[in-house]
Amino acid sequence: MNRRLFGLACTLILAASASATGCGRYSPCPGAGQRPEGISTQDLVGTYQSAVGRLTLSNDGTFTTLGWPASLEEATGDPQSRTGSGTWKLTTADDSGWPVSFTFHKISGYWDSDINGGYYGDGLYVSGSRETPHLYGYVGDPDSCELDTFTRNR
């Protein structure tokens, strides 16, 4: 095989493998966004509503939920009436984990730390502004751009 043909074959293989990975979104999903600069824990306190549930973040670092998390495969009972509680925190801006991290101590029909030990962890992304933040998570594959968005009640 001559050099030119070999170079062309290598270029085509590289281009095909890069496009087949599915890892490259060229634009953000509608509704997703960047963490608001300077956002603090106090900015997030309040009650949020989504299509699947309600989430209340308190000043003392505790939270309660109704209907969220919705997709727990081994949970029993109606997901819309599922309750949860635990602690939450806003992670540092340079943390690679969830921007808003949840440690569930109890989830009805699924988890109770007093009985099972340990905790169930989850998290959400934060976007919007400091004055009107919203929390969101991806449903399934992030490339599908399906979001569960929690908007704060006023």
Side-chain angles (χ1 to χ4, degrees):
M1 184 182 298
N2 71 31
R3 288 175 133 175
R4 217 182 269 167
L5 189 55
F6 180 74
L8 178 61
C10 288
T11 302
L12 289 174
I13 290 170
L14 183 61
S17 66
S19 65
T21 63
C23 294
R25 286 203 62 78
Y26 295 107
S27 61
C29 296
Q34 297 297 316
R35 175 188 180 130
E37 191 169 324
I39 196 161
S40 69
T41 300
Q42 188 60 38
D43 296 326
L44 293 175
V45 170
T47 299
Y48 296 76
Q49 189 71 42
S50 82
V52 298
R54 186 177 66 232
L55 168 65
T56 301
L57 305 179
S58 300
N59 277 328
D60 64 359
T62 61
F63 73 90
T64 58
T65 63
L66 176 63
W68 183 77
S71 61
L72 298 172
E73 293 179 17
E74 298 172 14
T76 59
D78 177 22
Q80 292 180 337
S81 61
R82 182 177 301 134
T83 60
S85 62
T87 57
W88 71 280
K89 69 178 181 172
L90 176 65
T91 61
T92 60
D94 61 352
D95 191 321
S96 63
W98 295 107
V100 183
S101 176
F102 300 95
T103 302
F104 282 84
H105 297 223
K106 295 183 186 209
I107 303 172
S108 63
Y110 183 71
W111 192 264
D112 185 335
S113 294
D114 293 338
I115 296 169
N116 306 98
Y119 303 102
Y120 175 82
D122 207 345
L124 293 170
Y125 296 95
V126 60
S127 189
S129 67
R130 289 182 64 191
E131 297 77 25
T132 56
H134 68 268
L135 306 173
Y136 67 94
Y138 292 93
V139 179
D141 183 355
D143 285 339
S144 72
C145 282
E146 186 179 347
L147 301 177
D148 183 17
T149 302
F150 288 83
T151 305
R152 187 166 58 190
N153 299 339
R154 285 282 152 190

